[in-house]
Structure formats: structure tokens, C-alpha cells
Amino acid sequence: VISLNAVVSVIPEMKTILRGIVIHNYLTWQTLISKVIGLCFSMGSGLPIGKEGPFVHIACIMSNLLGQNVKGFKRIFSNETRNVEMLAAACAVGVSCTFAAPIGGVLFSIEVTST
């Protein structure tokens, strides 16, 4: 096990992060590697699991890592409000990629950020 945070459900944790609660080591490289490897093996073996949670988690991790490591994005992610907006957009991207429904991803993002 590379990261224990890759085991948990994602949607409640992302709602918690979007509300301003800090969950340490939840959006890290180790969690990304664990989530991608686990998703590949579980989907490749034909297990009947939901893909929405892992895709949302991967999109949010990538968004967070872009903000931390890419020079052009650091200015955007230095503002906490923009950081939350980018994570909400990453949630929408994860849902959109899962169901191939961009409007559904936008509606999910509106639902998550409004409640």
C-alpha cells in the first residue's frame, strides 16, 4: 500500500475539502499512484465497481499537483478561493470523464459548490 487515502470514498471527502477542512496527504503523488494502479487492476479484472469516485479523485489530485508544481499555475492556486474553484472544476472534470457527459459534470459541480 503506497497511500491509505486511496482506499476511502471520494465524494464526501472532496465536499469536506471544498468546505475548507484540510485533510493531510489526501491530494499527493502517493495517493495518485495508488489510485491509478488500483483503478487499472480493478477495471482490468472486470470487478463491478463505480468509476466516478476514482476519476474525481484523480482529477482533483492532478489539479492540486498542477497548482503546487507548475510555475504558471502557482499564482492561481495561491488564492484560497481560486484553489477551491479549481478543485470544484476538477470534480466536474472527473464526473464528465466517467460518464462522457460534460453537462452532467457542470451540474455536479454546481451541486457540490452550492450545498
Side-chain angles (χ1 to χ4, degrees):
V1 176
I2 297 175
S3 175
L4 294 176
N5 289 321
V7 178
V8 297
S9 176
V10 177
I11 305 301
E13 281 80 6
M14 285 313 302
K15 284 185 176 183
T16 303
I17 290 173
L18 290 174
R19 301 293 183 267
I21 305 299
V22 176
I23 301 176
H24 296 289
N25 298 325
Y26 191 71
L27 301 173
T28 61
W29 286 104
Q30 293 85 7
T31 308
L32 176 66
I33 292 168
S34 298
K35 189 63 83 168
V36 168
I37 290 172
L39 183 63
C40 289
F41 284 143
S42 61
M43 294 306 297
S45 67
L47 290 174
I49 61 167
K51 298 181 288 186
E52 177 183 353
F55 272 69
V56 168
H57 200 184
I58 289 169
C60 290
I61 292 171
M62 293 300 293
S63 171
N64 190 45
L65 292 176
L66 276 173
Q68 291 175 354
N69 299 321
V70 177
K71 188 176 184 178
F73 289 102
K74 286 185 181 181
R75 187 176 58 104
I76 296 171
F77 282 87
S78 63
N79 185 351
E80 187 64 32
T81 305
R82 294 282 184 225
N83 192 12
V84 170
E85 289 174 358
M86 294 300 284
L87 285 176
C91 288
V93 167
V95 172
S96 298
C97 290
T98 303
F99 300 116
I103 296 173
V106 171
L107 292 175
F108 176 77
S109 175
I110 292 170
E111 175 192 351
V112 168
T113 56
S114 67
T115 58

